[in-house]
Amino acid sequence: AGMGDWVPVLDASDIGASRCAGLMNMLKMHVSRSLKELSHNEHKLVFTRTQKNIENQLAQWIRCFDFSYPMVQLNMPMWKAFTTIILRIVLFSSS
């Protein structure tokens, strides 16, 4: 990495790994419905990647989150909305 390149700080602690896994589980629970919503609302968007590939991209992306603090408690509709927003960011930033 050159000078000025951003390098993510990954939390490799047991607590950080556990919180990251918990977040990923919540996202995976809503990926399918969120993808359907995105493909319906973004009619020009064509998903050429498999759901597993998209989940792998999500997993890589969320590892950059700061897990030093507990996650906020969200209800199910908020988790689905959060998943949809995160998916849109990940899908469009890597296309």
Side-chain angles (χ1 to χ4, degrees):
M3 192 148 188
D5 288 345
W6 179 77
V7 178
V9 177
L10 304 177
D11 186 348
S13 69
D14 289 344
I15 292 172
S18 176
R19 289 176 178 163
C20 184
L23 174 58
M24 191 61 207
N25 285 335
M26 292 306 291
L27 293 174
K28 286 171 83 172
M29 191 182 317
H30 299 284
V31 164
S32 183
R33 286 185 10 218
S34 292
L35 283 172
K36 286 179 188 172
E37 184 176 307
L38 282 171
S39 65
H40 177 73
N41 292 334
E42 305 286 343
H43 37 83
K44 294 181 183 177
L45 181 64
V46 177
F47 293 108
T48 58
R49 292 165 270 189
T50 65
Q51 182 170 332
K52 187 68 174 167
N53 179 271
I54 292 168
E55 288 175 0
N56 287 337
Q57 285 180 275
L58 273 176
Q60 290 173 0
W61 198 76
I62 67 165
R63 288 190 58 205
C64 298
F65 285 19
D66 181 359
F67 292 104
S68 58
Y69 297 99
M71 290 188 298
V72 297
Q73 299 298 312
L74 301 175
N75 60 29
M76 284 302 170
M78 294 288 284
W79 273 112
K80 190 205 169 276
F82 180 74
T83 303
T84 303
I85 291 166
I86 296 297
L87 273 174
R88 193 168 197 295
I89 292 168
V90 169
L91 290 171
F92 284 103
S93 67
S94 61
S95 55

